[in-house]
């Protein structure tokens, strides 16, 4: 029996509904068949239908081969045709990738869908086929004759003629047959088909017979085999009306003499099966079917040809199949119905539908418990029906008990109350906790209260509590207190910190930030490393947040020359100074080197504005803020001007020259939009009204000039054209960006025209022309200069990814070309061979000392720029210096896996070469830029000095001292769990080695101390002091009644440890089986031992009195049952008891406090059934 709330099909249908937007209704038939109604928009219904067929219906697959070049026509533009075809046929069509040589298209879906899809694919291929295509109209009724039984005839024609013939399947209502192939062969195939068609048209006749609709499927047979069988035997085609038609008329078409035989076969097929019914109440159907159809399977497995159908709401079961099998199955089902009717019952009860979900419980917990406990089935109507009727079916007694429990549950729910608690949604996740841990604690605390949180998508603050009134009130108070704590701990402040200091605030491995978080008990969120944000957010209690903020700011202050200034500005002006979405204050911060300006919280009433940053920038920002505040106080006016974003650079001018001029002449403040602003066209002007008006007028005039588009041209020598258009026109793009989006058009390559067209705002066009002229002048003034640098240094000169060369080209506006690498740098020493006595200039050897071609770097640009670039290049050539480092230090300089030397190379940007160990050389080579070599050499020598100092320190630390101590004192020197010796090691910073007990060659009385000489001597004195104390100690045995040992020892030895600590002695109790169980040994200084013995003897006297009293009481508390046991009796015999065993082992003494020590409580001695202990 399925548990409530389960069902894989329902989950799949829910997924399909969410994905497609179609509405699905499921109904489960009694025979476990599933019917699905799909409704909604056409495209949604088609998509849902395709998904349902793919995921819930039994899938088949087939392949169809069409030429590879036709695949793209099946796919269509952007795959639309393929998607449409898949939706129309409810199939999945897989087309091989272009790089796959296969021409096989795989179709997956239902049999009918595969047929349709295959037909459509072949039609598309036929239309696109480069060979001849012909369509022949043939009445649908004659298609079976052309195809032949099992398609043999058409296959034979296709093989003989080499023509592809596509006959539409019976489910597709088309009459045309499509032929594809070579013209002559295609004509032969068409002729043969026409001939068959004409012959059949003349010779065949039809008869119509009535066959019950329910028997049509038997005439068709599995996969249409019966129809093909009749066609093969008689040559007669049988036409069956569609399944959705109500007609019962079957048409037989064929030659007159064959129709009779065919008719006989049709009736034989139709009557080979019978239909019968069994009366059974509809509520019993599911029990007849059984869990997952198990009961019904027993019948169907014996008679697989019998089809059993259960109809919803009807009190009958229909059986179809061979007559004999149907009769046997009917008898079995009637027996099942009779049996179930005798032992099953049902009852219907009314429970308000609003309580149904509480009856069901979370994931069906409540209802499943009732089902399992009483072995019944409970049917609760779905919420959509709003029905109150609950039906219970099963064993009569179980039904009565389940009815009583469900009615009790319902009555309890009527007495419950529901309360809505308003909790901000942002706290919901925190209250629920990770994986529901916190809400589980609340539910455990208030088990009778049901707590329901709203769905996050609803954006609701209402949390619903339901349960007994008192419990709901307690739970409400508890949750309100929890929310109050959360509100208190959710205070948040933002701290702007310069980005470069974030790593210092985090610390190595997050140490700093972790420490601040723990000590201030706050949550601190830093922006992502790749983010532009500089704000750190602190969340927690207000006081804690302020403390964390102060600590973070102090770290920044310590790291840099950061100053803080406070400016008093009336609170009423703060909003106007900040500007819309912070535009105005952001502009001031950017203009003043990125200082941080912090305004007090709105509503606080504070006038103090804090400015933080480098001292010069802070002063600048302070002046600007005060000036702006003064303007605001006197008279503030704002105006907006709109201009296309591409005009902004032109309005600002190079280095801000143009906009500065407007600001200086008018005194107004002009703010351009930043990259984050949504409105990129808006320019804001602020200041006094007359100044703003004047600045607005000037800006509008500039913008109007930019809007007046003009077209102009200029002459540029074609030899310079390439410079402007290379790198995808980068130079032209830069000109367009800088000069208001002006369009510059150069003539096409190949034409010898020198006319260049410029289009844009008049001022922009003029400025662009001027810039192009400057570039041309630069190009004409260009010279080429050679710089000889050995090829082996080229990679170093270029830098990582060519960064150094790119920097030089940008700084000096030059072009630098490196030579190709020389393939074979080894020069041939043989002289060149002269032919015919000719001695060409090329064959002469290069002059000694002249640079090789592969060493020459070519620089192009203005002469003075080329010279400067050459100097910069030569400065990048690495040089090498040698440093003498003692060979024994090399491995320490290299470090573990080269980490030490790598760190130095990264720090000083040089390459350090340490000689191979086998050379035993002291010379270390440093190669790099001359500017870095001095620092690198000093750094290496400093490291050598550190290592030498460490070596000296190691030599001093390796001083060894031996001390002779009797081995019997070693455990006392080591102490409990090594506590004493560890204390000596840490206190004196030494290593102490005790002799190995298993090593006979080692003297067992020698303790070795290693460390600084002074420390080893101090450690030796400490050990000898302990030995001296131990030598003064005495050991005394004292007799203590073994019955009080457990009380003196205490739970887990707590009491005896306290005594040993108090009197500074060691007390040892006898082990189990010792000759004298009362002997206790006390060791320590004589006076301490005496005091300790007195104390434990007093304890013995006290505890022994208790033991004697309890023994006396025990005699009176338990009657002497063993007296009766001595009388001969056969009523109870003990065999194979431990005390009767032949083993020599002694039975445990249950009354012994040694063998069964107590944990602090008094143990009363037990009287034993076999007599008192002697």
């Amino acid at each position: 029996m399925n548990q409530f709330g389960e069902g894989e099909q329902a989950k799949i249908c829910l997924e399909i509904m969410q994905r497609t937007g179609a509405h699905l209704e499921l109904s489960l038939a009694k025979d476990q068949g599933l019917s699905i109604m799909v409704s909604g928009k056409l495209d949604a219904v088609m998509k849902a239908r395709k998904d349902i067929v793919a995921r819930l219906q039994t899938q088949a697959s087939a392949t169809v081969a069409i030429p590879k070049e036709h695949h793209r026509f099946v796919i269509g533009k952007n795959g639309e045709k393929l998607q449409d075809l898949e939706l129309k046929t409810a199939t999945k069509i897989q087309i091989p990738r272009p790089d796959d040589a296969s021409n096989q298209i795989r179709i997956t879906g239902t049999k009918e869908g595969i047929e349709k899809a295959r037909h459509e694919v072949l039609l598309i291929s036929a239309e696109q086929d480069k060979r001849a295509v012909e369509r022949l109209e043939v009445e649908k009724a004659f298609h079976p004759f052309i195809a032949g039984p099992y398609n043999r005839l058409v296959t034979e024609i296709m093989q003989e003629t080499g023509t592809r013939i596509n006959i539409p399947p019976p489910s597709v209502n088309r009459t045309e047959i499509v032929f594809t192939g070579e013209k002559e062969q295609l004509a032969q195939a068409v002729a043969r088909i026409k001939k068959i068609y004409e012959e059949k048209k003349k010779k065949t006749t039809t008869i119509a017979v009535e066959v019950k609709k329910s028997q049509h499927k038997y005439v068709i047979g599995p996969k249409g085999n019966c129809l093909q069988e009749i066609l093969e035997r008689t040559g007669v085609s049988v036409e069956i009306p569609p399944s959705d038609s109500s007609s019962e008329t079957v048409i037989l078409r064929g030659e007159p003499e064959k129709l009779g035989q065919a008719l006989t076969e049709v009736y034989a097929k139709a009557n080979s099966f019978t239909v019968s019914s069994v009366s059974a109440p509809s509520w019993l159907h599911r029990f007849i079917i059984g869990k997952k159809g198990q009961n019904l399977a027993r019948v169907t497995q014996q008679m697989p040809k019998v089809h059993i159908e259960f109809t919803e709401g009807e009190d009958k079961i229909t059986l179809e199949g061979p007559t004999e099998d149907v009769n046997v199955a009917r008898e079995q089902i009637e027996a099942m119905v009779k049996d179930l009717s005798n032992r099953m019952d049902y009852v219907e009860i009314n429970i308000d539908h609003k309580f149904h979900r509480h009856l069901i419980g979370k994931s069906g917990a409540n209802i499943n418990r009732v089902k399992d406990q009483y072995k019944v089935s409970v049917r609760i109507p779905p919420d959509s029906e709003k029905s109150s009727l609950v039906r219970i079916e099963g064993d009569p007694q179980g039904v009565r008990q389940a009815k009583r429990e469900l009615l009790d549950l319902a009555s309890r729910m009527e007495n419950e109350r529901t309360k809505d608690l308003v909790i901000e949604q942002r706290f919901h996740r925190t209250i629920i906790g990770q994986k529901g841990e916190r809400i589980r604690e609340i539910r455990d605390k208030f088990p009778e209260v049901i707590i329901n949180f709203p769905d996050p998508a609803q954006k609701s603050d209402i949390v619903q509590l339901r349960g007994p009134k008192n419990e709901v009130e307690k739970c409400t108070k508890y949750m309100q207190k929890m929310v109050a704590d959360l509100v208190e701990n959710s205070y948040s402040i933002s701290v702007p910190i310069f980005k470069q200091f974030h790593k210092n605030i985090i610390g190595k491995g997050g140490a700093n930030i972790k420490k601040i978080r723990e000590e201030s008990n706050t949550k601190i969120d830093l922006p992502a490393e790749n983010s532009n944000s500089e704000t750190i957010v602190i969340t927690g209690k207000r006081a804690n947040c302020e403390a964390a903020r102060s600590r973070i700011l102090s770290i920044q202050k310590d790291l840099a020359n950061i100053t803080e200034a406070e400016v008093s500005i009336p609170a009423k002006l703060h909003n106007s100074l900040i500007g819309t979405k912070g535009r105005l204050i952001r502009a001031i911060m950017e203009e003043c080197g990125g200082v941080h300006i912090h305004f007090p919280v709105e509503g606080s009433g504070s006038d103090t504005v804090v400015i933080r940053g480098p001292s010069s920038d802070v002063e600048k920002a302070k002046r600007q803020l005060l000036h702006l505040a003064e303007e605001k106080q006197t008279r503030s006016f704002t105006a907006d001007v709109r201009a296309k974003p591409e005009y902004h650079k032109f309005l600002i001018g190079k280095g801000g020259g143009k906009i500065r001029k407007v600001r200086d002449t008018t005194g107004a403040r002009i703010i351009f939009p930043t990259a984050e602003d949504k409105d990129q066209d808006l320019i804001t002007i602020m200041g006094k009204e007359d100044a703003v008006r004047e600045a607005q007028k000037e800006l509008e005039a500039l913008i109007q000039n930019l809007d007046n588009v003009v077209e102009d041209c200029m002459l540029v020598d074609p030899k310079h054209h390439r410079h402007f258009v290379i790198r995808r026109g980068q130079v032209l793009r830069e000109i367009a960006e800088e000069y208001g989006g002006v369009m510059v058009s150069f003539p096409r390559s190949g034409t010898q025209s020198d006319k260049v067209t410029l289009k844009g705002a008049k001022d922009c066009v003029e400025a662009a022309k001027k810039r192009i002229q400057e570039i041309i002048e630069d190009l004409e003034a260009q010279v080429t200069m050679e710089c000889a640098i050995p090829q082996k240094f080229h990679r170093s000169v270029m830098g990582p990814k060519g960064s150094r060369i790119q920097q030089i080209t940008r700084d000096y506006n030059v072009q630098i070309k490196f030579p190709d690498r020389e393939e074979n740098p080894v020069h041939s020493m043989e002289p060149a061979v002269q032919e015919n006595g000719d001695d060409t200039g090329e064959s002469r050897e290069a002059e000694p000392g002249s640079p090789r071609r592969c060493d020459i770097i070519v620089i192009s640009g203005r002469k003075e720029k080329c010279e400067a670039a050459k100097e910069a290049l030569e400065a990048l050539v690495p040089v090498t210096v040698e440093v003498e480092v003692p060979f024994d230090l090399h491995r320490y300089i290299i470090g573990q896996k080269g980490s030490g030397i790598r760190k130095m190379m990264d720090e000083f940007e040089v390459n350090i070469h340490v000689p191979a160990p086998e050379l035993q050389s002291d010379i270390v080579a440093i190669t790099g830029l001359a500017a870095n070599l001095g620092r690198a050499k000093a750094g290496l020598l400093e490291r050598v000095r550190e290592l030498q100092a460490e070596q000296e320190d190691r030599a001093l630390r390796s001083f060894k001292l031996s001390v002779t101590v009797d081995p019997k004192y070693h455990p006392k020197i080591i102490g409990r769990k090594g506590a004493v010796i560890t204390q000596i090691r840490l206190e004196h910073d030494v290593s102490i080695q005790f002799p190995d007990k298993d090593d006979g060659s080692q003297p067992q009385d020698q303790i070795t101390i290693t460390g600084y000489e002074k420390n080893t001597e101090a450690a030796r004195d400490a050990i000898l002091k302990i030995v001296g104390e131990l030598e003064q100690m005495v050991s005394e045995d004292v007799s203590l009644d073994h019955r009080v040992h457990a009380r003196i020892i205490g739970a887990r030895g707590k009491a005896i440890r306290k005594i040993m600590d108090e009197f500074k002695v060691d007390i040892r109790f006898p082990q189990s089986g010792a000759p004298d169980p009362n002997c206790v040994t006390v060791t320590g200084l004589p006076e301490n031992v005496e005091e300790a013995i007195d104390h434990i003897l007093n304890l013995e006297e006290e505890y022994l009195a208790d033991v004697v009293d309890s023994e006396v009481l025990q005699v009176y508390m338990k009657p002497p049952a063993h007296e009766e046991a001595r009388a001969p009796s056969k009523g109870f015999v003990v065999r194979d008891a431990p005390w009767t065993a032949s083993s020599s082992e002694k039975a445990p003494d249950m009354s012994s406090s040694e063998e069964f020590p107590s944990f602090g409580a008094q143990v009363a001695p037990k009287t034993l059934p076999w007599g008192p202990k002697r």
Side-chain angles (χ1 to χ4, degrees), residues 495 516 520 522 524 538 543-553:
V495 188
I516 296 169
S520 63
T522 55
I524 303 173
I538 308 169
N544 294 351
C545 290
E546 292 292 346
R549 179 172 174 267
S550 303
R551 289 190 62 173
I552 289 170
L553 289 173

Side-chain angles (χ1 to χ4, degrees), residues 89 111-121 169 171-172:
T89 60
K111 185 173 177 294
E112 186 184 324
I114 289 171
E115 279 183 357
K116 288 181 181 178
R118 187 175 181 281
H119 176 68
E120 292 292 339
V121 169
S171 55
V172 178

Side-chain angles (χ1 to χ4, degrees), residues 662-674:
V662 175
R663 282 176 183 161
D664 292 345
T665 53
T666 61
R669 182 174 185 78
I670 302 162
I671 302 163
F672 283 83
T674 62

Side-chain angles (χ1 to χ4, degrees), residues 915-975:
E918 55 269 17
L919 296 176
Q920 299 277 313
S921 171
D922 291 347
I923 302 299
V924 173
I926 307 173
T927 306
L929 302 182
N932 298 340
L933 285 180
R935 285 190 312 119
K937 186 176 177 181
L940 181 60
L941 291 172
E942 179 61 34
R943 179 68 181 139
V944 169
R945 280 193 290 275
E946 285 174 13
L947 290 170
Q948 285 173 338
E950 283 175 20
Q951 269 187 335
E952 289 170 10
D953 186 57
R954 260 198 304 276
L956 291 171
R957 283 178 69 91
S958 59
F959 179 80
K960 283 190 179 181
L961 184 68
S962 290
V963 58
T964 303
V965 176
D966 194 319
K968 69 180 180 182
Y969 297 132
H970 289 189
K972 291 290 181 185
I973 295 166
I974 293 168

Side-chain angles (χ1 to χ4, degrees), residues 524-712:
I524 303 173
D525 295 316
L526 286 96
E529 203 172 329
N530 53 1
S531 162
N532 291 326
S533 171
E534 294 185 332
T535 306
I536 295 173
V537 180
I538 308 169
T539 311
K541 289 185 179 178
R542 184 166 189 156
N544 294 351
C545 290
E546 292 292 346
R549 179 172 174 267
S550 303
R551 289 190 62 173
I552 289 170
L553 289 173
S554 68
I555 291 172
Q556 179 181 248
K557 197 169 183 180
D558 293 344
L559 287 167
N561 181 24
I562 302 296
T563 58
E564 196 176 277
E566 291 184 354
V567 185
S568 183
I569 294 171
K572 63 182 179 180
L573 296 177
H574 289 185
N575 281 345
S576 59
L577 285 175
I578 293 165
T580 314
K581 293 181 181 176
R583 287 181 68 208
L584 181 56
I585 203 67
R586 206 160 48 239
I588 294 172
M589 282 157 66
E590 286 173 6
E591 198 175 316
C592 300
V595 294
H596 292 149
I597 301 174
H598 180 71
F599 283 83
V601 179
E602 195 173 352
S604 65
S606 172
D607 293 345
T608 306
V609 178
V610 179
I611 309 167
R612 195 179 298 108
S615 51
S616 57
D617 292 337
V618 166
E619 282 304 315
K620 189 178 178 183
K622 186 177 176 181
R623 285 197 300 272
Q624 285 209 22
L625 264 182
L626 290 170
H627 178 67
L628 202 60
E630 193 182 331
E631 277 185 8
K632 292 276 181 193
Q633 276 181 313
T634 53
R635 193 175 176 190
S636 182
F637 188 76
T638 306
D640 292 336
V641 176
R642 290 192 170 275
K644 293 177 186 175
E646 55 263 32
Y647 292 167
H648 292 186
K649 275 192 177 179
F650 191 77
L651 292 172
I652 293 165
K654 199 167 185 178
K658 283 190 179 181
I659 206 70
R660 202 180 298 115
K661 189 179 176 185
V662 175
R663 282 176 183 161
D664 292 345
T665 53
T666 61
R669 182 174 185 78
I670 302 162
I671 302 163
F672 283 83
T674 62
E676 288 81 27
D677 290 331
K678 286 184 180 176
D679 195 346
Q680 290 290 309
D681 292 356
L682 192 69
I683 300 168
T684 307
I685 310 167
M686 302 182 78
K688 293 181 181 176
E689 187 175 358
D690 54 347
V692 169
R693 295 287 183 208
E694 192 180 340
Q696 186 180 6
K697 193 175 175 183
E698 283 195 33
L699 274 180
E700 283 173 348
L702 284 169
I703 293 162
Q704 193 176 357
N705 284 344
L706 292 172
D707 283 337
N708 294 333
V709 177
V710 296
E711 192 170 315
D712 201 355

Side-chain angles (χ1 to χ4, degrees), residues 450-564:
I450 296 166
I451 306 167
N452 286 324
F453 284 84
D455 192 294
Q458 292 176 358
K459 305 287 184 190
S460 169
D461 293 342
I462 305 295
V463 176
Q464 195 178 68
L465 309 182
R466 181 183 177 82
K469 186 178 177 182
N470 292 340
E471 288 297 304
V472 167
E473 288 301 325
K474 286 178 189 174
C475 187
T476 302
K477 286 177 183 174
Y478 182 83
M479 290 186 74
Q480 283 172 341
K481 185 177 181 301
M482 182 186 275
V483 171
D485 291 344
L486 287 173
V487 170
E488 188 185 356
N489 288 320
S490 63
Y491 178 77
S492 179
I493 55 173
S494 298
V495 188
I497 296 291
F498 293 100
K499 193 81 179 179
Q500 65 264 35
F501 301 130
H502 283 202
K503 61 182 179 185
N504 304 95
I505 287 162
I506 294 167
K508 190 172 183 180
N512 289 357
I513 199 75
K514 189 178 178 183
K515 190 177 178 185
I516 296 169
R517 281 174 180 150
E518 287 172 356
E519 290 180 5
S520 63
N521 193 21
T522 55
K523 180 186 174 190
I524 303 173
D525 295 316
L526 286 96
E529 203 172 329
N530 53 1
S531 162
N532 291 326
S533 171
E534 294 185 332
T535 306
I536 295 173
V537 180
I538 308 169
T539 311
K541 289 185 179 178
R542 184 166 189 156
N544 294 351
C545 290
E546 292 292 346
R549 179 172 174 267
S550 303
R551 289 190 62 173
I552 289 170
L553 289 173
S554 68
I555 291 172
Q556 179 181 248
K557 197 169 183 180
D558 293 344
L559 287 167
N561 181 24
I562 302 296
T563 58
E564 196 176 277

